[in-house]
Amino acid sequence: TKHLIEISWINIMSENIRVAVRCRPFNSREIERKAVLIIDMVGNATYITDPKAPGAEPKMYTFDYSYWSHDGFDTDEHGYMSPASDNYCDQARVFKDLGEGVLTNAWNGYNCSLFAYGQTGSGKSYSIVGYGPNKGIIPVACQKLFDVIEKKSTVKQEGEEYSVTLSMIEIYNEQVRDLLNPETLKLKGGLKIREHPKKGFYVDGLSSAAVSNYENIELKMEIGTKNRTVASTQMNATSSRAHTIVALNFVQKVKNEAGQLMTKTSIINLVDLAGSERAASTGASGDRLKEGAAINKSLSTLGNVIAALADQAMAEGKAKDKIIVP
């Protein structure tokens, strides 16, 4: 069967949630097992055929975007996979549809989050982080953010300034770790999550690094990526065993129409969720089994939170107060 990657873009503009699915090529394991393609995509619709009833009517699901990346691409001399057919979706198109909106929100002073969700080995990290010249949403968004900052800095007025800080954490076995500070990887119980009356929830003791250009971010992300918890399973040779969150804190001090300095702060959360998995499929045991259970538990909780928020948004009057968000 074919795996899917699901990306949810959450912001607070006119459309609060956008959802996209992406179909990747078969990997070597699936090719060896002579896997059968049961996915088809037309426009923003995704069709799934029951492999036990290939003659039956496929089930149709509609999303904001359905990205076909299974085939129809050429690899150039630099290793970038570019479209060889009209329906192939490359990394550039994914960023154009999803990443550019995240940057627009940031410049307007809104917080925004982007989640990559899917089964282990479905290609989440590829779409979010990328590989080699096929850069994902995170590195491209960072590059474009500083490109605009550099351009605006050449014409900025007195007192105006822009600053960006980066933090990178992972949630492993329900414990929070600072990927930019390896010492916290050994901390028993991980870092603590606190609640501030004005700032809301935050990670106590989390380090943040000031970055002045994309090269700084790339260096910090390389350090953080090396500290990520990955392991080999039967379904994925480099399976992420923890959820990873890259948070960019973007602060702008600019003059308004009245000539007064005003500060706009935006936090961009880019979340690479660990893949949901079945122990029977991954062959997990020992630590891998424990990790898989923690991953599935946290993903179920996230699903409950999103469902409760959706119910709360649709409810009216006192019914809203009766809906409890986990």
Side-chain angles (χ1 to χ4, degrees), residues 139-154:
V140 176
C142 295
Q143 178 68 69
K144 289 186 176 294
L145 176 64
F146 281 106
D147 286 347
V148 178
I149 289 177
E150 184 177 354
K151 184 177 179 180
K152 286 180 175 287
S153 295
T154 59

Side-chain angles (χ1 to χ4, degrees), residues 310-321 323:
D311 291 342
Q312 203 174 62
M314 295 176 66
E316 296 181 358
K318 294 183 178 180
K320 287 188 176 184
D321 300 330
I323 299 173

Side-chain angles (χ1 to χ4, degrees), residues 209-235:
V211 287
S212 56
N213 52 51
Y214 171 68
E215 287 70 25
N216 291 158
I217 288 183
E218 194 171 35
L219 179 61
K220 294 297 181 184
M221 285 186 59
E222 284 179 4
I223 294 173
T225 301
K226 288 179 182 178
N227 291 327
R228 288 182 67 182
T229 304
V230 298
S232 177
T233 69
Q234 289 182 9
M235 291 190 67

Side-chain angles (χ1 to χ4, degrees), residues 64-130:
D64 292 292
Y65 303 100
S66 289
Y67 294 132
W68 181 261
S69 300
H70 179 71
D71 55 18
F73 61 89
D74 289 326
T75 304
D76 63 21
E77 66 273 15
H78 303 293
Y80 183 78
M81 291 184 286
S82 57
S85 63
D86 293 337
N87 65 333
Y88 179 77
C89 172
D90 62 354
Q91 294 285 67
R93 181 178 161 194
V94 172
F95 177 80
K96 183 177 183 298
D97 290 342
L98 303 176
E100 285 186 356
V102 170
L103 286 181
T104 300
N105 279 0
W107 281 104
N108 290 332
Y110 297 114
N111 295 338
C112 46
S113 299
L114 187 146
F115 292 81
Y117 170 76
Q119 185 174 314
T120 182
S122 60
K124 300 178 300 299
S125 297
Y126 177 80
S127 289
I128 295 298
V129 180

